[in-house]
């Protein structure tokens, strides 16, 4: 089979450092931290009292008030990002075949706000079951994909992808595969997550996964720094419009970049900890390179998983050294989680968007909040600390890893006719 080429023709981004693509990208270049004290609930009794929340996001500015009440926050953000992407791509029900246009969308947790609210209300009562009729359809993970398809009238493939923090990268890879084997012309793909609530923060605190740097929250996300103490929770959504190349050219679409390839592996090691030698991370980068028909020297930039956890950052660096060898000292590395926090199931697409923008603009966004070198890491590597760097970026690789040992990586590259 002759595989078809797949390009990106639309982008939507709703992030802790910008509510659209241009705001997000400028904040990345400026090294803006999205961290602040939590506003969505009273976190004063929690070990972690800060997060990277969305700023100035009012769902009813974008969605009908009555409809907004029927969907969880993770779906609200997904719809807003999808609107941006569809508008950016210039597609509508009249200029595409909606039966060949689909939605493949990811989330790690889904409607935890709704689940928490309904259970807490029930617990306050006398045991009589009184639940909102929208409880289940608000909570289930696949509802964001379903709502996006209904909003835009897309009747092609439609499903949700769940692989913890690798979810939206896996969704992008699935969408890429559906198009390149000819099953679809266009797919809206990406992910959303919104878990900054008592259950979300309390659960991750209990695992000792979150930073507890409450007095220095704006600098708490410190990937590759000696004093990193855990990740900072983020939220948001990102949507990419993936399109078959000839289809995009026929309708005169703007093309951001081409999807080169993707890979997916498992650590098969531990429920939350990475393989200490980065085995799964190594294998997924090799798989992505092989799928793209590329060699390590073709990659100019890696947007790393880089969560700011003591174990995770070191394991990923080991994997990069193994795969890229001497070329590891030539390419740029950065973790944009230092600014956005960890958007969990949305992290993959948010970081893929950062990688796409690096390819389009030939600028590497920085890893901010670096203060002290970790002697366990090889600092001959260019971690792009604290300041953006200009360089030609022909191809970039984006890594995401999730609890359960899930690994996914996608390669984006400059579009060449």
């Amino acid at each position: 089979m002759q595989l078809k080429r797949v390009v990106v023709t639309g982008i939507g981004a709703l992030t802790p450092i910008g509510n659209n693509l241009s705001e997000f990208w400028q904040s990345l270049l400026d090294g803006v931290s999205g961290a602040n004290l939590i506003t969505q609930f009273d976190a004063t009794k929690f070990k972690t009292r800060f997060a990277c929340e969305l700023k100035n996001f009012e769902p009813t500015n974008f969605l009908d008030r009555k409809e907004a009440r029927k969907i969880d926050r993770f779906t609200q953000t997904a719809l807003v990002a999808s609107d941006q992407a569809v508008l950016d791509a210039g597609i509508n029900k009249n200029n595409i075949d909606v039966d060949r246009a689909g939605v493949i969308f990811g989330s790690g947790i889904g409607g935890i706000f709704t689940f928490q609210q309904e259970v807490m209300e029930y617990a306050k009562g006398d045991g009589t079951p009184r639940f909102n009729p929208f409880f289940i359809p608000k909570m289930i993970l696949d509802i964001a994909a379903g709502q996006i398809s209904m909003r835009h009238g897309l009747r092609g493939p439609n499903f949700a992808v769940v692989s913890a923090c690798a979810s939206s990268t896996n969704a992008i890879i699935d969408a890429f595969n559906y198009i390149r084997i000819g099953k679809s012309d266009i797919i809206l793909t990406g992910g959303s997550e919104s878990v900054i609530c008592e259950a979300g923060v309390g659960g991750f605190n209990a695992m000792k996964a979150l930073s507890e740097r409450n007095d220095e929250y704006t600098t708490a996300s410190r990937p590759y720094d000696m004093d990193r103490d855990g990740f900072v929770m983020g939220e948001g959504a990102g949507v990419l419009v993936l399109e078959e190349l000839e289809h995009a050219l026929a309708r005169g679409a703007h093309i951001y970049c081409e999807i080169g390839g993707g890979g997916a592996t498992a650590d098969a090691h531990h429920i939350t900890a990475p393989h200490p030698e980065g085995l799964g991370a190594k294998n997924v980068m090799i798989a992505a390179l092989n799928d793209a028909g590329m060699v390590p020297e073709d990659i100019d930039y890696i947007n790393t998983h880089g969560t700011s956890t003591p174990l995770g950052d070191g394991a990923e660096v080991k994997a990069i050294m193994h795969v890229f060898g001497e070329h590891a000292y030539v390419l740029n590395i950065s973790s944009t989680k230092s600014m956005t926090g960890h958007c969990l199931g949305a992290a993959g697409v948010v970081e893929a968007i950062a990688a796409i923008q690096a390819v389009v603009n030939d600028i590497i966004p920085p890893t901010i909040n670096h203060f002290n070198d970790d002697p366990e890491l090889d600092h001959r590597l260019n971690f792009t600390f604290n300041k953006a760097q200009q360089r030609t970026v022909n191809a970039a690789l984006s890594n995401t890893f999730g609890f359960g040992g899930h690994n996914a990586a996608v390669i984006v590259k400059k579009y060449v006719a």
Side-chain angles (χ1 to χ4, degrees):
M1 178 186 291
Q2 181 67 42
L3 295 177
K4 299 177 183 295
R5 294 171 67 183
V6 181
V7 294
V8 176
T9 57
I11 300 176
L14 186 60
T15 79
I17 57 172
N19 290 349
N20 55 54
L21 176 61
S22 60
E23 289 178 4
F24 170 56
W25 179 239
Q26 190 59 55
S27 293
L28 286 179
L29 298 184
D30 292 342
V32 174
S33 170
N36 213 322
L37 295 176
I38 291 170
T39 65
Q40 294 179 54
F41 71 96
D42 182 0
T44 53
K45 294 183 179 180
F46 285 70
K47 293 178 181 178
T48 297
R49 298 188 289 276
F50 60 93
C52 289
E53 296 178 314
L54 297 176
K55 314 297 188 297
N56 304 312
F57 174 64
E58 173 49 57
T60 54
N61 288 341
F62 308 95
L63 307 169
D64 176 79
R65 183 177 298 275
K66 186 176 180 180
E67 291 304 310
R69 292 177 60 189
K70 297 177 182 178
I71 56 177
D72 189 88
R73 186 175 173 93
F74 94 103
T75 304
Q76 294 171 350
T77 60
L79 289 177
V80 172
S82 77
D83 285 355
Q84 293 177 8
V86 165
L87 179 64
D88 188 35
I91 58 174
N92 58 64
K93 288 181 280 189
N94 297 318
N95 67 5
I96 62 171
D97 181 351
V98 295
D99 292 326
R100 289 185 56 81
V103 183
I104 300 177
F105 206 72
S107 183
I109 297 174
I112 193 171
F113 266 98
T114 296
F115 188 88
Q116 174 185 282
Q117 180 182 28
E118 292 293 320
V119 171
M120 289 177 70
E121 287 298 317
Y122 175 71
K124 290 177 186 176
D126 60 4
T128 303
R130 297 185 182 91
F131 290 93
N132 189 312
F134 293 103
F135 174 23
I136 300 303
K138 285 175 70 173
M139 178 196 72
I140 52 178
L141 274 159
D142 66 299
I143 201 65
Q147 288 279 4
I148 291 170
S149 73
M150 287 182 274
R151 187 171 181 84
H152 301 290
L154 308 178
R155 297 200 295 258
N158 186 279
F159 58 89
V161 177
V162 185
S163 51
C165 302
S167 296
S168 52
T169 302
N170 278 127
I172 293 168
I173 294 167
D174 279 359
F176 168 61
N177 285 331
Y178 263 79
I179 295 171
R180 68 172 171 172
I181 63 175
K183 288 186 176 291
S184 295
D185 299 326
I186 292 178
I187 293 183
L188 272 60
T189 188
S192 65
E193 200 82 270
S194 190
V195 300
I196 303 174
C197 60
E198 292 89 337
V201 174
F204 281 107
N205 265 158
M207 295 172 58
K208 302 187 182 302
L210 298 180
S211 170
E212 298 178 14
R213 207 178 291 275
N214 292 299
D215 296 328
E216 301 176 290
Y217 52 81
T218 60
T219 62
S221 183
R222 303 183 180 188
Y224 310 114
D225 189 89
M226 181 175 70
D227 299 316
R228 62 191 185 275
D229 72 327
F231 73 81
V232 177
M233 188 179 288
E235 65 171 346
V239 174
L240 300 178
V241 177
L242 299 195
E243 189 167 353
E244 192 272 321
L245 174 60
E246 295 304 321
H247 188 276
L249 293 174
R251 66 179 191 87
H254 168 70
I255 295 174
Y256 282 96
C257 68
E258 184 171 356
I259 304 294
T265 66
D267 280 3
H269 170 69
H270 189 270
I271 58 171
T272 57
H275 190 283
E277 298 303 314
L279 180 62
K282 177 196 76 171
N283 289 342
V284 82
M285 287 186 279
I286 293 171
L289 287 166
N290 289 340
D291 189 48
M294 300 171 77
V295 296
E297 289 73 21
D298 292 326
I299 303 297
D300 301 299
Y301 167 50
I302 302 175
N303 187 299
T304 61
H305 188 57
T307 55
S308 183
T309 57
L311 293 178
D313 290 5
E316 187 172 11
V317 168
K318 287 180 181 178
I320 290 170
M321 294 297 300
H322 184 101
V323 174
F324 289 89
E326 288 300 311
H327 184 64
Y329 300 114
V330 177
L331 51 76
N332 276 71
I333 295 166
S334 74
S335 171
T336 47
K337 286 187 180 74
S338 58
M339 295 172 274
T340 65
H342 192 348
C343 296
L344 306 178
V349 67
V350 168
E351 290 155 24
I353 292 169
I356 289 167
Q357 288 293 84
V359 167
V360 170
N361 296 285
D362 291 320
I363 306 174
I364 308 295
T367 305
I368 68 167
N369 302 330
H370 180 71
F371 303 100
N372 299 299
D373 288 351
D374 182 345
E376 297 297 316
L377 304 181
D378 188 341
H379 281 269
R380 292 176 295 168
L381 296 170
N382 185 353
F383 291 100
T384 323
F385 282 136
N386 298 324
K387 187 177 180 180
Q389 295 177 15
Q390 290 190 306
R391 67 169 290 168
T392 300
V393 186
N394 290 312
L397 182 149
S398 182
N399 282 337
T400 45
F401 314 135
F403 286 170
H406 309 290
N407 308 298
V410 64
I411 293 172
V412 295
K413 62 183 183 179
K414 287 190 188 302
Y415 165 65
V416 178

